[in-house]
Amino acid sequence: MKLHLTPNRGLQLFSGYGSGYVAINHVRYEKCVVVTPQAVIEWPVTDFDQITGAEFGFIADLKPEIVIFGTGTRQRFPQPGLARALAATGVGVEFMDSRAACRTYNILASEGRRVVAAILLD
């Protein structure tokens, strides 16, 4: 699936999503990634069930106002304690399938929001 891009003013935006990959500014990534408007970081998580408090801490250190978790081809939710740890810092947290997460991230980043997308592939 190709995603429609508006002029990105130097932002890191998703330009494609498919089985086993995402594209950010037309660069293909075949590993899970954490994306901010300024950077793309490879994320060593390979499975939804691997997500622990350490991954949430790393993301909280990026100081987002909202975190969008792309959970793969279907929407999944983590153990309640994991989401609470991040939400306790005042950060908004949303879990959705990765395709929807890419689209939502692009909208929020284009609006100038401090958004982080953590995208799992499957």
Side-chain angles (χ1 to χ4, degrees), residues 85-107:
L86 191 55
T89 67
V91 174
V93 182
E94 294 291 334
F95 292 86
M96 56 189 73
D97 68 76
S98 292
R99 186 178 305 244
C102 292
R103 289 189 309 264
T104 302
Y105 166 87
N106 280 359
I107 292 165

Side-chain angles (χ1 to χ4, degrees), residues 27-40:
V27 175
R28 187 178 173 118
Y29 293 86
E30 295 180 352
K31 295 186 180 204
C32 299
V33 291
V34 172
V35 183
T36 73
Q38 297 78 31
V40 178

Side-chain angles (χ1 to χ4, degrees), residues 3-5 13-14 101-111:
L3 299 174
H4 175 69
L5 278 180
L13 296 174
F14 291 96
C102 292
R103 289 189 309 264
T104 302
Y105 166 87
N106 280 359
I107 292 165
L108 295 172
S110 295
E111 290 175 349

Side-chain angles (χ1 to χ4, degrees), residues 14-98:
F14 291 96
S15 54
Y17 175 86
S19 179
Y21 81 95
V22 293
I24 302 161
N25 293 349
H26 305 288
V27 175
R28 187 178 173 118
Y29 293 86
E30 295 180 352
K31 295 186 180 204
C32 299
V33 291
V34 172
V35 183
T36 73
Q38 297 78 31
V40 178
I41 305 158
E42 285 193 11
W43 195 23
V45 174
T46 57
D47 184 79
F48 182 81
D49 296 323
Q50 283 184 305
I51 298 174
T52 67
E55 282 79 25
F56 280 74
F58 157 73
I59 291 168
D61 289 344
L62 297 172
K63 308 258 188 268
E65 63 182 291
I66 188 165
V67 177
I68 307 294
F69 280 93
T71 59
T73 56
R74 64 186 174 96
Q75 183 180 27
R76 298 175 68 184
F77 296 95
Q79 303 253 338
L82 292 176
R84 266 187 251 134
L86 191 55
T89 67
V91 174
V93 182
E94 294 291 334
F95 292 86
M96 56 189 73
D97 68 76
S98 292

